[in-house]
Amino acid sequence: MTMTLHIDPTHLLRPDFIWGVATSAFQIEGAADEDGKGESIWDVFCRQPGAIADGSDGRIACDHVHRLDEDLDLIASLGVDAYRFSISWPRVQPQGWGPWSEEGLGFYERLVDGLLARGIRPFATLNHWDLPQVLQTQGGWMARDTAHRFVDYARGIQRCLGDRLASIATHNEPWVIAILGHEKGIFAPGLTSRAAAAQVNHHLLLSHGLALQALRADGASAPLGIVLNMSPQEPATDSPADRALARLQDGHGLRWYLDPLLRGRYPDDAWTDLGRDAPRMEATDLAAIAQPLDWLGINYYTRNVVSSAGPWDPVAHGLPVTDMGWEICPDSFHALLTRLHRDYALPPTFITENGGAFPDPVQADGLVHDQDRIDYLRTHIAAVVRAAQEGVPLAGYFVWSLMDNFEWASGYAKRFGIVHVDYATLARTPKASARAYRDALTRWRVGARA
Ligand code: FCB
């Protein structure tokens, strides 16, 4: 028996709560070098032998650029209020500065107009990791100048689309860009330097603040925010060593972003821990970073259990995990949200990503009965409702993802979609979770209006 997805009790969410689905440009668009699109650092990284688990790349991905109308109808069929997507910087400004691509901008105009025509609010992210390769050759996010290039790019997008967007995020998950891309080397651009990662983190935050200042000076109408990945760092045991390590990782992973954004300073513990690798900055940078946020986006997938004895494996502890090996832990989601609001007094907050990868075999009837994903979504949405009940100013929730797509270094092997994509034919087939989500939203709207 398939359990449905309940959103209950409905009256605990604001009646204008926004339900959506999310994607990002590189993961779905394809059309990698059409119409003068420039290369991104992910186009280049995918060519590095061994970088992507299945040796794949984003050249075709879900072929979204060529299937825009079909995908717009697909989004509309889910009954969502909003669609979160990202703009590929090298598609609209191939060199990362200077000339704009009319074709590239035209694609996003068609996307945004198509959403509005279907009554769906466009939530745009300016940087979901696919930096123009030309800028990488000039130092990428390690170079302070890239922050200024980003401001020009943000202003250009606002000029073209600003009055039609319901929301603009500067960056998606700066931690991933800095740490996975520049310290651990497992994401583009594949560098392995802690000092580089720290400088990248600072320049991402700086560019965010400078962009907010510039967009507001230009008369921004869309609410402006930033999207952070947040995993609570929980000590494996009560030992002083585990607790101290978890606290330090909280400094590097959560407070490193929220303290400068919301309090205008970096956390002392993580700063001291960086030692000689701490970023270089100018006197006015922290004030520039701490621009008022119209909203904050939080992406949550799992918690991180911290042990001073080394890596901690949830499977070895008999705990449930998704196909990514990430522990399924909705209680930590609730705890994270309430803790963040207690510590920071959050601005209106969107869950900009939440979801799970599961093997998703296509059954004999041609459908995907992804009960595990329905359970994941149900328990995590329940955590959101509980946090809202306790006063966390939650304004919306987006499922990651609309459809199966290119999961970065994991390639196409990991499926996060509520819509199945057959990569041989590129056919899209809604999974059981897509129907469950749509039905839950329909029931919620009835309840919320009652
Ligand atoms: C997040 C990314 C998103 C997707 C999910 C699974 O870190 O923002 O693009 O890959 O993880």
Side-chain angles (χ1 to χ4, degrees):
M1 192 200 80
T2 304
M3 282 182 66
T4 51
L5 204 164
H6 284 290
I7 303 169
D8 195 51
T10 52
H11 64 277
L12 299 174
L13 295 170
R14 34 197 279 190
D16 60 350
F17 193 87
I18 287 172
W19 297 99
V21 286
T23 62
S24 85
F26 191 80
Q27 293 177 277
I28 66 166
E29 283 183 355
D33 48 18
E34 284 176 29
D35 291 332
K37 174 182 169 291
E39 279 201 315
S40 82
I41 58 173
W42 272 93
D43 289 308
V44 173
F45 187 66
C46 289
R47 293 201 291 268
Q48 212 166 284
I52 311 299
D54 57 5
S56 63
D57 56 39
R59 298 191 58 74
I60 297 176
C62 302
D63 202 30
H64 171 65
V65 165
H66 297 130
R67 291 162 198 257
L68 179 60
D69 290 332
E70 176 189 349
D71 287 344
L72 286 165
D73 288 341
L74 182 65
I75 299 164
S77 77
L78 298 170
V80 291
D81 304 305
Y83 174 57
R84 175 172 177 250
F85 61 96
S86 78
I87 293 168
S88 162
W89 184 352
R91 188 180 298 288
V92 297
Q93 204 180 24
Q95 309 294 306
W97 57 277
W100 294 85
S101 158
E102 288 304 322
E103 293 85 354
L105 288 171
F107 169 71
Y108 294 106
E109 292 198 82
R110 290 202 306 282
L111 168 60
V112 168
D113 290 343
L115 290 168
L116 293 173
R118 290 165 179 80
I120 299 164
R121 283 178 245 198
F123 275 54
T125 300
L126 297 175
N127 172 28
H128 201 124
W129 310 352
D130 45 355
L131 183 76
Q133 175 64 19
V134 173
L135 293 184
Q136 188 62 39
T137 62
Q138 295 161 15
W141 289 110
M142 292 174 289
R144 192 176 171 94
D145 191 51
T146 299
H148 299 296
R149 301 281 72 81
F150 179 76
V151 172
D152 291 345
Y153 158 61
R155 295 182 68 196
I157 294 298
Q158 179 168 268
R159 265 197 309 276
C160 177
L161 294 172
D163 56 348
R164 287 174 271 179
L165 294 174
S167 163
I168 298 176
T170 51
H171 301 296
N172 179 73
E173 302 189 347
W175 181 91
V176 170
I177 299 170
I179 306 299
L180 300 189
H182 295 80
E183 181 172 335
K184 306 219 182 282
I186 58 175
F187 278 13
L191 304 182
T192 52
S193 153
R194 189 168 85 143
Q199 198 60 51
V200 165
N201 254 329
H202 180 68
H203 289 154
L204 286 166
L205 288 168
L206 176 66
S207 66
H208 156 85
L210 296 176
L212 257 55
Q213 282 179 327
L215 295 181
R216 285 185 175 135
D218 289 351
S221 56
L224 307 175
I226 186 169
V227 172
L228 305 174
N229 55 301
M230 301 260 109
S231 282
Q233 308 290 332
E234 300 180 12
T237 72
D238 249 355
S239 74
D242 285 358
R243 292 169 67 95
L245 192 58
R247 179 70 188 160
L248 180 61
Q249 293 203 13
D250 180 82
H252 284 296
L254 283 82
R255 287 178 282 117
W256 189 265
Y257 304 93
L258 289 169
D259 281 13
L261 287 166
L262 298 172
R263 294 179 177 161
R265 51 174 305 175
Y266 282 116
D268 289 336
D269 57 350
W271 183 275
T272 305
D273 183 60
L274 281 173
R276 291 176 44 183
D277 293 336
R280 293 178 308 282
M281 54 180 179
E282 295 182 5
T284 54
D285 285 2
L286 285 169
I289 291 170
Q291 299 306 305
L293 288 174
D294 294 324
W295 61 274
L296 175 69
I298 291 178
N299 295 350
Y300 175 85
Y301 290 93
T302 188
R303 66 172 177 161
N304 185 36
V305 177
V306 182
S307 168
S308 50
W312 191 92
D313 176 14
V315 177
H317 288 79
L319 295 165
V321 296
T322 67
D323 204 24
M324 297 294 282
W326 299 347
E327 186 189 343
I328 300 172
C329 200
D331 286 346
S332 292
F333 190 17
H334 167 262
L336 169 75
L337 295 173
T338 52
R339 174 260 168 132
L340 291 183
H341 187 48
R342 192 170 55 242
D343 287 359
Y344 292 97
L346 295 174
T349 297
F350 290 87
I351 306 307
T352 30
E353 290 178 25
N354 176 240
F358 295 98
D360 290 345
V362 180
Q363 316 271 304
D365 58 5
L367 299 177
V368 178
H369 300 280
D370 53 344
Q371 187 60 46
D372 32 20
R373 181 171 292 101
I374 294 175
D375 291 340
Y376 184 101
L377 296 176
R378 191 182 64 249
T379 53
H380 286 75
I381 289 173
V384 171
V385 172
R386 218 160 20 111
Q389 177 180 18
E390 291 161 27
V392 183
L394 291 163
Y397 173 93
F398 291 78
V399 174
W400 184 271
S401 177
L402 163 66
M403 58 183 157
D404 297 335
N405 58 49
F406 177 77
E407 180 44 40
W408 308 111
S410 306
Y412 294 96
K414 305 296 179 199
R415 295 178 174 272
F416 275 91
I418 59 174
V419 172
H420 180 269
V421 176
D422 178 334
Y423 292 113
T425 64
L426 294 164
R428 284 94 160 109
T429 310
K431 304 177 190 177
S433 55
R435 298 174 203 283
Y437 191 50
R438 182 196 59 201
D439 292 349
L441 301 194
T442 307
R443 281 195 308 275
W444 179 79
R445 289 199 185 95
V446 172
R449 280 202 218 101

